Amino acid sequence: MNLDWLDAFLIFGAFKVVEIMGLGLLVHLQLGLTRVANFGVVGFWGVGLYAFGVAHLKVDWPFGDPYQFLVCAAIATVAAAAAGLVVGWLISELDDDGTLVGTLGFATIVVILATTQQGLTGGALGLGGLGFPYDFGRVKTHEFTWLLITTAVVALIFVYAWRVHRTPHGRLLIAVGANEALARSLGKSATAARLRMMTVTSGAMGLLGAMHGVMVRSLEINSLDVGVTLAALAALILGGTARVFGAVVGVLLTVALFDIVIQFYLPIPDGWNTQALPVAREAVFGAAIVLMLIFRPQGLLGQMRRPALMRRLHGDW
Amino acid sequence: MVGIAGDSSVTPAVAVRGLSSGYGSVAVLHEVDFTVGHEIFAVLGANGAGKTTLLATLAGLLPAFSGSIAYHGTDVTNLAASESARLGVGYVPQEAAVFPDLSVLENFTVGGMIGTRPHEERLEEVFETFPDLRDKLHLRAGNLSGGESRMVACGRALMQDPNVLLLDEPTAGLSPLYLQLFFEKIADIHRTRGMSIVLTEQNATQALAIADRVMVLSLGVGSEPMLADAVTTDLLREGYQI
């Protein structure tokens, strides 16, 4: 495959867009449907990234790629899902403020562990040596293929989120998010529904973390940055927390705008890419959250249920 | 129709003995006693009397500090609300009684997540009781009027196929037109579906018109239950402290 026309940095920019879109879709299920204010997205993503990296680099597997990748990615997914289950259980009795602080605290613990457990993680220096689970000969081909694979995974997450809206489990999640006390009187366990959602979505966040590890081919403590959570939340709040397309539209207007359009297609001065742009990016994302919450809290796409959509969903009724 | 009042040989649908309950460590209800048979049982009282606390405790949403609650002879004291629902208790709170982000039909379907009868059959029964809702199925429940919201909340509880229906001030804030209609619906539900109904109300006149028996709650203390016909103005004045 001749990819000379494609800038390697553009591939990585597109990868970030796709990755944040996946996280945004998962946060949509947590915050938009179930009203679990997860401010520790980077924690679950980081558990996946580091579980994958440590399993890949520190265990002497009797087989090579792609099986090694598949096993390590499965470990990352299960580790993040287990973290989601435990954190979900710990915050199950807390209000919104407690949930926010609890998930943020979890992310902080992950960062501290990744920094201090140097024997496993490499600490602040990190670990190199991760690679793509295939060999086509050229790095750019590897990266582009990985972008396509990650896009496919995020597409599956989109389909899953789309389906959840149309299932009894999804309706129960919406009910739990809107009024937990009333939902408990429906005869279903609100806690179990919430834990199931936290487990599945956290596991998927972990898988995206593992896929990030492959793309950057190393474990770097700097990657466990609050910017991951901020980008996913800003995009979702801008697009609309309650809508599946909210994350898609939001990411295109935030991450894609900064990491692709501005970075590659605007004539900005040299040096801005590494210094001014990242700072401006986070400032704009933060401002977007504040402004949207004040002026249009339901986001650009608006409410979850509209008559036209409901007629389609209800079918014969 | 009073099924068991005064008949100790029949297991009551609801038996409440010495029930105390409240919020945190603050007791709102104080040793309330009553039984409910196959009837409409109205709990009357002024604001702050403890009516909502009583129904939330019966639904399993608030803990009982002491005393007991039994449904059809099964002790459910401090059982989780979801378990009480599975035993056949339907609950319609006074406020925030619908799921606003779900459509009307979805509110019904989440209500019908338990129970064994075919979903369509139960939906048809709800439409028979509330025919006006047939045209509003696709609407977001949060966009409905107050009266329509109450109908949806009631329909959602009926989808659970309850044998005991707890209605917390179902007519609060409704216009006179809806108020009359709603009391007629409650009487109709009891008559056609044969379920026991525990109803809290401030509107004593209307409640007495459809209830079989009545208990007046005053500052968390319940009166001796009595036939609705036997309630006097003086007794109500005493209960409402006016």
Short mmCIF file of all heavy atoms in Angstrom, two decimals, chain B residues 87-148:
data_model
loop_
_atom_site.label_atom_id
_atom_site.label_comp_id
_atom_site.label_asym_id
_atom_site.label_seq_id
_atom_site.Cartn_x
_atom_site.Cartn_y
_atom_site.Cartn_z
N LEU B 87 -43.26 -8.57 44.62
CA LEU B 87 -44.33 -9.21 45.39
C LEU B 87 -45.70 -8.65 45.04
O LEU B 87 -46.71 -9.06 45.60
CB LEU B 87 -44.07 -9.05 46.89
CG LEU B 87 -42.94 -9.92 47.47
CD1 LEU B 87 -42.64 -9.52 48.90
CD2 LEU B 87 -43.34 -11.39 47.41
N GLY B 88 -45.73 -7.66 44.14
CA GLY B 88 -47.03 -7.16 43.68
C GLY B 88 -47.41 -5.80 44.22
O GLY B 88 -48.61 -5.50 44.30
N VAL B 89 -46.43 -5.00 44.57
CA VAL B 89 -46.73 -3.66 45.08
C VAL B 89 -46.42 -2.63 43.98
O VAL B 89 -45.29 -2.54 43.51
CB VAL B 89 -45.90 -3.34 46.34
CG1 VAL B 89 -46.19 -1.92 46.81
CG2 VAL B 89 -46.21 -4.34 47.43
N GLY B 90 -47.42 -1.90 43.58
CA GLY B 90 -47.23 -0.82 42.61
C GLY B 90 -47.24 0.50 43.35
O GLY B 90 -48.06 0.71 44.24
N TYR B 91 -46.33 1.40 42.97
CA TYR B 91 -46.17 2.65 43.72
C TYR B 91 -46.18 3.84 42.76
O TYR B 91 -45.44 3.85 41.79
CB TYR B 91 -44.85 2.60 44.50
CG TYR B 91 -44.45 3.89 45.18
CD1 TYR B 91 -45.28 4.49 46.13
CD2 TYR B 91 -43.24 4.50 44.89
CE1 TYR B 91 -44.91 5.66 46.76
CE2 TYR B 91 -42.85 5.67 45.53
CZ TYR B 91 -43.69 6.25 46.46
OH TYR B 91 -43.33 7.41 47.09
N VAL B 92 -47.02 4.81 43.06
CA VAL B 92 -47.05 6.05 42.27
C VAL B 92 -46.77 7.21 43.23
O VAL B 92 -47.62 7.58 44.03
CB VAL B 92 -48.43 6.25 41.60
CG1 VAL B 92 -48.44 7.54 40.79
CG2 VAL B 92 -48.76 5.07 40.70
N PRO B 93 -45.56 7.77 43.15
CA PRO B 93 -45.23 8.88 44.06
C PRO B 93 -45.97 10.16 43.68
O PRO B 93 -46.50 10.28 42.57
CB PRO B 93 -43.72 9.04 43.89
CG PRO B 93 -43.43 8.52 42.54
CD PRO B 93 -44.45 7.46 42.25
N GLN B 94 -45.97 11.09 44.61
CA GLN B 94 -46.67 12.36 44.36
C GLN B 94 -45.92 13.21 43.33
O GLN B 94 -46.52 13.80 42.45
CB GLN B 94 -46.79 13.13 45.67
CG GLN B 94 -47.51 14.46 45.54
CD GLN B 94 -47.48 15.26 46.83
OE1 GLN B 94 -47.13 14.74 47.88
NE2 GLN B 94 -47.82 16.53 46.75
N GLU B 95 -44.61 13.26 43.47
CA GLU B 95 -43.81 14.09 42.56
C GLU B 95 -42.85 13.21 41.77
O GLU B 95 -42.51 12.11 42.21
CB GLU B 95 -43.01 15.12 43.36
CG GLU B 95 -43.92 16.18 43.98
CD GLU B 95 -43.17 17.13 44.89
OE1 GLU B 95 -42.01 16.83 45.20
OE2 GLU B 95 -43.77 18.14 45.28
N ALA B 96 -42.40 13.73 40.65
CA ALA B 96 -41.46 13.00 39.79
C ALA B 96 -41.91 11.56 39.61
O ALA B 96 -41.17 10.62 39.84
CB ALA B 96 -40.05 13.05 40.39
N ALA B 97 -43.14 11.41 39.13
CA ALA B 97 -43.75 10.08 39.06
C ALA B 97 -43.55 9.41 37.70
O ALA B 97 -43.92 8.25 37.53
CB ALA B 97 -45.24 10.17 39.38
N VAL B 98 -43.01 10.15 36.73
CA VAL B 98 -42.72 9.53 35.43
C VAL B 98 -41.24 9.69 35.12
O VAL B 98 -40.55 10.50 35.76
CB VAL B 98 -43.55 10.16 34.28
CG1 VAL B 98 -45.03 9.95 34.49
CG2 VAL B 98 -43.23 11.65 34.14
N PHE B 99 -40.76 8.92 34.16
CA PHE B 99 -39.38 9.07 33.70
C PHE B 99 -39.41 10.04 32.51
O PHE B 99 -39.84 9.68 31.42
CB PHE B 99 -38.80 7.72 33.30
CG PHE B 99 -38.77 6.75 34.45
CD1 PHE B 99 -39.64 5.68 34.50
CD2 PHE B 99 -37.89 6.93 35.50
CE1 PHE B 99 -39.63 4.80 35.56
CE2 PHE B 99 -37.87 6.06 36.58
CZ PHE B 99 -38.75 5.00 36.61
N PRO B 100 -38.99 11.29 32.73
CA PRO B 100 -39.24 12.33 31.73
C PRO B 100 -38.55 12.12 30.39
O PRO B 100 -39.08 12.53 29.37
CB PRO B 100 -38.73 13.60 32.42
CG PRO B 100 -37.78 13.13 33.48
CD PRO B 100 -38.28 11.80 33.92
N ASP B 101 -37.39 11.46 30.38
CA ASP B 101 -36.67 11.27 29.12
C ASP B 101 -37.19 10.10 28.30
O ASP B 101 -36.81 9.93 27.15
CB ASP B 101 -35.17 11.07 29.39
CG ASP B 101 -34.48 12.38 29.69
OD1 ASP B 101 -34.96 13.42 29.21
OD2 ASP B 101 -33.48 12.38 30.43
N LEU B 102 -38.05 9.30 28.90
CA LEU B 102 -38.62 8.18 28.15
C LEU B 102 -39.96 8.62 27.56
O LEU B 102 -40.63 9.50 28.10
CB LEU B 102 -38.85 6.98 29.07
CG LEU B 102 -37.60 6.31 29.65
CD1 LEU B 102 -37.99 5.15 30.56
CD2 LEU B 102 -36.70 5.79 28.54
N SER B 103 -40.33 7.99 26.45
CA SER B 103 -41.64 8.28 25.86
C SER B 103 -42.73 7.67 26.75
O SER B 103 -42.44 6.90 27.67
CB SER B 103 -41.71 7.68 24.46
OG SER B 103 -41.76 6.28 24.55
N VAL B 104 -43.96 8.01 26.43
CA VAL B 104 -45.08 7.45 27.20
C VAL B 104 -45.06 5.93 27.11
O VAL B 104 -45.19 5.22 28.12
CB VAL B 104 -46.42 8.02 26.68
CG1 VAL B 104 -47.60 7.29 27.31
CG2 VAL B 104 -46.49 9.51 26.96
N LEU B 105 -44.89 5.42 25.90
CA LEU B 105 -44.87 3.96 25.72
C LEU B 105 -43.71 3.33 26.49
O LEU B 105 -43.86 2.26 27.10
CB LEU B 105 -44.78 3.60 24.24
CG LEU B 105 -44.81 2.11 23.91
CD1 LEU B 105 -46.09 1.45 24.43
CD2 LEU B 105 -44.69 1.86 22.42
N GLU B 106 -42.57 3.99 26.47
CA GLU B 106 -41.41 3.44 27.19
C GLU B 106 -41.64 3.45 28.70
O GLU B 106 -41.20 2.55 29.41
CB GLU B 106 -40.15 4.23 26.85
CG GLU B 106 -39.63 3.93 25.45
CD GLU B 106 -38.39 4.73 25.13
OE1 GLU B 106 -38.34 5.92 25.52
OE2 GLU B 106 -37.49 4.19 24.49
N ASN B 107 -42.36 4.47 29.19
CA ASN B 107 -42.70 4.46 30.61
C ASN B 107 -43.53 3.23 30.94
O ASN B 107 -43.36 2.61 31.99
CB ASN B 107 -43.48 5.74 30.98
CG ASN B 107 -42.57 6.84 31.50
OD1 ASN B 107 -42.30 6.92 32.69
ND2 ASN B 107 -42.07 7.68 30.60
N PHE B 108 -44.42 2.89 30.04
CA PHE B 108 -45.25 1.69 30.27
C PHE B 108 -44.39 0.42 30.19
O PHE B 108 -44.58 -0.51 30.97
CB PHE B 108 -46.38 1.62 29.25
CG PHE B 108 -47.42 2.70 29.43
CD1 PHE B 108 -48.17 3.15 28.36
CD2 PHE B 108 -47.65 3.26 30.68
CE1 PHE B 108 -49.12 4.15 28.53
CE2 PHE B 108 -48.60 4.26 30.86
CZ PHE B 108 -49.33 4.70 29.78
N THR B 109 -43.49 0.40 29.23
CA THR B 109 -42.71 -0.83 29.06
C THR B 109 -41.75 -1.06 30.23
O THR B 109 -41.53 -2.21 30.62
CB THR B 109 -41.93 -0.85 27.72
OG1 THR B 109 -41.20 0.36 27.62
CG2 THR B 109 -42.84 -0.98 26.55
N VAL B 110 -41.19 0.01 30.79
CA VAL B 110 -40.33 -0.22 31.96
C VAL B 110 -41.18 -0.68 33.15
O VAL B 110 -40.71 -1.45 33.99
CB VAL B 110 -39.46 1.00 32.37
CG1 VAL B 110 -38.42 1.31 31.34
CG2 VAL B 110 -40.29 2.22 32.70
N GLY B 111 -42.42 -0.22 33.19
CA GLY B 111 -43.32 -0.71 34.24
C GLY B 111 -43.63 -2.18 34.06
O GLY B 111 -43.82 -2.92 35.04
N GLY B 112 -43.65 -2.62 32.80
CA GLY B 112 -44.01 -4.01 32.52
C GLY B 112 -42.83 -4.95 32.48
O GLY B 112 -42.94 -6.07 31.97
N MET B 113 -41.67 -4.53 33.02
CA MET B 113 -40.50 -5.42 32.99
C MET B 113 -40.67 -6.63 33.89
O MET B 113 -39.99 -7.63 33.74
CB MET B 113 -39.24 -4.64 33.39
CG MET B 113 -38.74 -3.72 32.29
SD MET B 113 -37.11 -3.02 32.65
CE MET B 113 -37.44 -2.11 34.12
N ILE B 114 -41.54 -6.50 34.89
CA ILE B 114 -41.83 -7.68 35.72
C ILE B 114 -43.25 -8.14 35.40
O ILE B 114 -44.02 -7.42 34.77
CB ILE B 114 -41.68 -7.38 37.23
CG1 ILE B 114 -42.55 -6.19 37.63
CG2 ILE B 114 -40.23 -7.13 37.59
CD1 ILE B 114 -42.60 -5.96 39.12
N GLY B 115 -43.57 -9.33 35.85
CA GLY B 115 -44.89 -9.87 35.55
C GLY B 115 -44.81 -10.88 34.42
O GLY B 115 -43.86 -10.87 33.63
N THR B 116 -45.79 -11.75 34.36
CA THR B 116 -45.72 -12.84 33.40
C THR B 116 -46.75 -12.72 32.27
O THR B 116 -46.60 -13.36 31.23
CB THR B 116 -45.96 -14.19 34.11
OG1 THR B 116 -47.18 -14.10 34.87
CG2 THR B 116 -44.81 -14.52 35.06
N ARG B 117 -47.76 -11.90 32.47
CA ARG B 117 -48.79 -11.80 31.43
C ARG B 117 -48.23 -11.10 30.20
O ARG B 117 -47.32 -10.27 30.31
CB ARG B 117 -49.99 -11.01 31.94
CG ARG B 117 -50.89 -11.84 32.86
CD ARG B 117 -52.26 -11.22 32.96
NE ARG B 117 -52.21 -9.83 33.36
CZ ARG B 117 -52.92 -8.87 32.77
NH1 ARG B 117 -53.71 -9.16 31.76
NH2 ARG B 117 -52.85 -7.63 33.21
N PRO B 118 -48.75 -11.42 29.01
CA PRO B 118 -48.23 -10.78 27.81
C PRO B 118 -48.29 -9.25 27.90
O PRO B 118 -49.26 -8.68 28.40
CB PRO B 118 -49.17 -11.28 26.71
CG PRO B 118 -49.72 -12.54 27.23
CD PRO B 118 -49.80 -12.40 28.72
N HIS B 119 -47.23 -8.65 27.43
CA HIS B 119 -47.07 -7.20 27.49
C HIS B 119 -48.23 -6.48 26.80
O HIS B 119 -48.79 -5.51 27.33
CB HIS B 119 -45.76 -6.88 26.77
CG HIS B 119 -45.08 -5.67 27.28
ND1 HIS B 119 -45.14 -4.49 26.61
CD2 HIS B 119 -44.36 -5.46 28.39
CE1 HIS B 119 -44.45 -3.59 27.29
NE2 HIS B 119 -43.97 -4.16 28.37
N GLU B 120 -48.59 -6.95 25.60
CA GLU B 120 -49.63 -6.28 24.82
C GLU B 120 -50.97 -6.30 25.56
O GLU B 120 -51.73 -5.34 25.51
CB GLU B 120 -49.80 -6.98 23.45
CG GLU B 120 -48.63 -6.77 22.50
CD GLU B 120 -47.39 -7.55 22.91
OE1 GLU B 120 -47.53 -8.49 23.75
OE2 GLU B 120 -46.29 -7.21 22.44
N GLU B 121 -51.21 -7.41 26.25
CA GLU B 121 -52.47 -7.55 26.99
C GLU B 121 -52.55 -6.50 28.10
O GLU B 121 -53.58 -5.83 28.29
CB GLU B 121 -52.50 -8.96 27.60
CG GLU B 121 -53.84 -9.41 28.10
CD GLU B 121 -53.73 -10.84 28.63
OE1 GLU B 121 -53.21 -11.72 27.91
OE2 GLU B 121 -54.16 -11.07 29.78
N ARG B 122 -51.42 -6.32 28.78
CA ARG B 122 -51.40 -5.34 29.87
C ARG B 122 -51.52 -3.91 29.33
O ARG B 122 -52.18 -3.07 29.92
CB ARG B 122 -50.11 -5.50 30.68
CG ARG B 122 -50.13 -6.74 31.57
CD ARG B 122 -48.93 -6.80 32.46
NE ARG B 122 -47.81 -7.49 31.85
CZ ARG B 122 -46.59 -7.53 32.34
NH1 ARG B 122 -46.31 -6.87 33.45
NH2 ARG B 122 -45.64 -8.22 31.76
N LEU B 123 -50.86 -3.67 28.19
CA LEU B 123 -50.95 -2.34 27.59
C LEU B 123 -52.39 -2.01 27.20
O LEU B 123 -52.87 -0.90 27.43
CB LEU B 123 -50.06 -2.29 26.34
CG LEU B 123 -48.65 -1.74 26.51
CD1 LEU B 123 -47.89 -1.85 25.20
CD2 LEU B 123 -48.66 -0.30 26.97
N GLU B 124 -53.06 -3.00 26.61
CA GLU B 124 -54.46 -2.77 26.21
C GLU B 124 -55.31 -2.41 27.42
O GLU B 124 -56.20 -1.56 27.34
CB GLU B 124 -55.02 -4.01 25.50
CG GLU B 124 -54.67 -4.10 24.03
CD GLU B 124 -55.07 -2.84 23.26
OE1 GLU B 124 -56.14 -2.27 23.54
OE2 GLU B 124 -54.30 -2.41 22.38
N GLU B 125 -55.06 -3.07 28.54
CA GLU B 125 -55.82 -2.77 29.76
C GLU B 125 -55.56 -1.35 30.24
O GLU B 125 -56.46 -0.67 30.72
CB GLU B 125 -55.48 -3.79 30.85
CG GLU B 125 -56.07 -5.17 30.57
CD GLU B 125 -55.65 -6.21 31.59
OE1 GLU B 125 -54.96 -5.85 32.57
OE2 GLU B 125 -55.99 -7.38 31.39
N VAL B 126 -54.29 -0.93 30.11
CA VAL B 126 -53.97 0.45 30.51
C VAL B 126 -54.70 1.43 29.61
O VAL B 126 -55.26 2.44 30.07
CB VAL B 126 -52.44 0.69 30.45
CG1 VAL B 126 -52.11 2.17 30.60
CG2 VAL B 126 -51.74 -0.09 31.55
N PHE B 127 -54.75 1.12 28.31
CA PHE B 127 -55.45 2.02 27.38
C PHE B 127 -56.95 2.03 27.64
O PHE B 127 -57.62 3.03 27.38
CB PHE B 127 -55.16 1.62 25.93
CG PHE B 127 -53.72 1.83 25.53
CD1 PHE B 127 -53.09 0.94 24.67
CD2 PHE B 127 -53.00 2.90 26.02
CE1 PHE B 127 -51.77 1.13 24.31
CE2 PHE B 127 -51.68 3.09 25.67
CZ PHE B 127 -51.07 2.20 24.81
N GLU B 128 -57.47 0.92 28.11
CA GLU B 128 -58.90 0.89 28.45
C GLU B 128 -59.17 1.85 29.61
O GLU B 128 -60.20 2.52 29.65
CB GLU B 128 -59.32 -0.53 28.83
CG GLU B 128 -59.57 -1.43 27.62
CD GLU B 128 -59.79 -2.87 28.04
OE1 GLU B 128 -60.15 -3.11 29.22
OE2 GLU B 128 -59.58 -3.76 27.20
N THR B 129 -58.23 1.89 30.56
CA THR B 129 -58.40 2.79 31.71
C THR B 129 -58.10 4.24 31.33
O THR B 129 -58.80 5.15 31.76
CB THR B 129 -57.45 2.35 32.85
OG1 THR B 129 -57.67 0.97 33.12
CG2 THR B 129 -57.73 3.15 34.12
N PHE B 130 -57.05 4.42 30.53
CA PHE B 130 -56.65 5.79 30.15
C PHE B 130 -56.60 5.90 28.62
O PHE B 130 -55.52 5.97 28.02
CB PHE B 130 -55.27 6.12 30.73
CG PHE B 130 -55.19 6.05 32.22
CD1 PHE B 130 -54.46 5.04 32.84
CD2 PHE B 130 -55.84 6.98 33.01
CE1 PHE B 130 -54.38 4.96 34.23
CE2 PHE B 130 -55.77 6.91 34.40
CZ PHE B 130 -55.04 5.91 35.01
N PRO B 131 -57.76 5.92 27.97
CA PRO B 131 -57.78 5.92 26.49
C PRO B 131 -57.10 7.15 25.87
O PRO B 131 -56.60 7.06 24.76
CB PRO B 131 -59.28 5.88 26.15
CG PRO B 131 -60.00 6.28 27.39
CD PRO B 131 -59.12 5.91 28.54
N ASP B 132 -57.08 8.25 26.60
CA ASP B 132 -56.47 9.47 26.04
C ASP B 132 -54.98 9.28 25.75
O ASP B 132 -54.41 10.01 24.93
CB ASP B 132 -56.63 10.65 27.01
CG ASP B 132 -58.08 11.08 27.12
OD1 ASP B 132 -58.90 10.57 26.32
OD2 ASP B 132 -58.39 11.89 28.00
N LEU B 133 -54.36 8.34 26.43
CA LEU B 133 -52.91 8.17 26.27
C LEU B 133 -52.54 7.45 24.98
O LEU B 133 -51.39 7.45 24.58
CB LEU B 133 -52.33 7.41 27.48
CG LEU B 133 -52.42 8.15 28.81
CD1 LEU B 133 -51.85 7.29 29.93
CD2 LEU B 133 -51.67 9.48 28.74
N ARG B 134 -53.52 6.84 24.35
CA ARG B 134 -53.25 6.09 23.12
C ARG B 134 -52.62 7.00 22.05
O ARG B 134 -51.77 6.57 21.27
CB ARG B 134 -54.54 5.48 22.61
CG ARG B 134 -54.39 4.12 21.99
CD ARG B 134 -55.71 3.65 21.44
NE ARG B 134 -56.42 2.74 22.31
CZ ARG B 134 -56.20 1.43 22.35
NH1 ARG B 134 -55.28 0.90 21.60
NH2 ARG B 134 -56.90 0.67 23.14
N ASP B 135 -53.05 8.26 22.03
CA ASP B 135 -52.54 9.18 21.01
C ASP B 135 -51.24 9.86 21.41
O ASP B 135 -50.71 10.68 20.67
CB ASP B 135 -53.59 10.27 20.73
CG ASP B 135 -54.88 9.69 20.20
OD1 ASP B 135 -54.80 8.64 19.54
OD2 ASP B 135 -55.94 10.29 20.45
N LYS B 136 -50.77 9.59 22.60
CA LYS B 136 -49.59 10.31 23.09
C LYS B 136 -48.40 9.38 23.33
O LYS B 136 -47.45 9.75 24.00
CB LYS B 136 -49.94 11.05 24.38
CG LYS B 136 -51.10 12.02 24.21
CD LYS B 136 -51.39 12.78 25.45
CE LYS B 136 -52.68 13.60 25.33
NZ LYS B 136 -52.65 14.58 24.25
N LEU B 137 -48.48 8.20 22.77
CA LEU B 137 -47.45 7.19 23.06
C LEU B 137 -46.05 7.63 22.69
O LEU B 137 -45.08 7.26 23.34
CB LEU B 137 -47.77 5.90 22.30
CG LEU B 137 -48.94 5.09 22.82
CD1 LEU B 137 -49.15 3.87 21.96
CD2 LEU B 137 -48.67 4.69 24.26
N HIS B 138 -45.94 8.41 21.63
CA HIS B 138 -44.60 8.77 21.13
C HIS B 138 -44.05 10.02 21.80
O HIS B 138 -42.91 10.40 21.53
CB HIS B 138 -44.65 9.00 19.62
CG HIS B 138 -45.34 7.90 18.89
ND1 HIS B 138 -44.90 6.60 18.95
CD2 HIS B 138 -46.45 7.89 18.12
CE1 HIS B 138 -45.69 5.84 18.22
NE2 HIS B 138 -46.65 6.59 17.72
N LEU B 139 -44.85 10.64 22.62
CA LEU B 139 -44.38 11.88 23.24
C LEU B 139 -43.44 11.60 24.40
O LEU B 139 -43.56 10.58 25.09
CB LEU B 139 -45.57 12.70 23.75
CG LEU B 139 -46.58 13.17 22.69
CD1 LEU B 139 -47.65 14.03 23.34
CD2 LEU B 139 -45.86 13.96 21.60
N ARG B 140 -42.55 12.54 24.61
CA ARG B 140 -41.65 12.47 25.76
C ARG B 140 -42.50 12.73 27.01
O ARG B 140 -43.24 13.71 27.06
CB ARG B 140 -40.58 13.54 25.58
CG ARG B 140 -39.49 13.56 26.59
CD ARG B 140 -38.46 14.62 26.20
NE ARG B 140 -37.47 14.76 27.25
CZ ARG B 140 -37.60 15.60 28.27
NH1 ARG B 140 -38.66 16.38 28.36
NH2 ARG B 140 -36.67 15.67 29.20
N ALA B 141 -42.39 11.86 28.00
CA ALA B 141 -43.25 11.97 29.19
C ALA B 141 -43.02 13.29 29.91
O ALA B 141 -43.94 13.83 30.52
CB ALA B 141 -43.01 10.79 30.12
N GLY B 142 -41.80 13.81 29.83
CA GLY B 142 -41.49 15.07 30.50
C GLY B 142 -42.20 16.27 29.89
O GLY B 142 -42.23 17.34 30.48
N ASN B 143 -42.76 16.09 28.69
CA ASN B 143 -43.46 17.20 28.03
C ASN B 143 -44.97 17.17 28.24
O ASN B 143 -45.68 17.99 27.68
CB ASN B 143 -43.18 17.17 26.52
CG ASN B 143 -41.73 17.50 26.21
OD1 ASN B 143 -40.98 17.90 27.09
ND2 ASN B 143 -41.32 17.29 24.98
N LEU B 144 -45.46 16.20 29.02
CA LEU B 144 -46.90 16.08 29.22
C LEU B 144 -47.40 17.07 30.27
O LEU B 144 -46.62 17.59 31.07
CB LEU B 144 -47.25 14.65 29.68
CG LEU B 144 -46.90 13.52 28.71
CD1 LEU B 144 -47.19 12.18 29.37
CD2 LEU B 144 -47.68 13.66 27.41
N SER B 145 -48.71 17.29 30.28
CA SER B 145 -49.31 18.15 31.31
C SER B 145 -49.34 17.37 32.64
O SER B 145 -49.10 16.15 32.66
CB SER B 145 -50.73 18.53 30.91
OG SER B 145 -51.56 17.38 30.99
N GLY B 146 -49.68 18.08 33.71
CA GLY B 146 -49.71 17.44 35.03
C GLY B 146 -50.67 16.26 35.08
O GLY B 146 -50.35 15.18 35.58
N GLY B 147 -51.87 16.46 34.52
CA GLY B 147 -52.88 15.39 34.54
C GLY B 147 -52.45 14.19 33.72
O GLY B 147 -52.61 13.04 34.13
N GLU B 148 -51.87 14.48 32.54
CA GLU B 148 -51.41 13.38 31.68
C GLU B 148 -50.27 12.62 32.34
O GLU B 148 -50.19 11.39 32.26
CB GLU B 148 -50.96 13.95 30.33
CG GLU B 148 -52.11 14.46 29.48
CD GLU B 148 -51.65 15.31 28.31
OE1 GLU B 148 -50.49 15.82 28.35
OE2 GLU B 148 -52.45 15.51 27.39
#
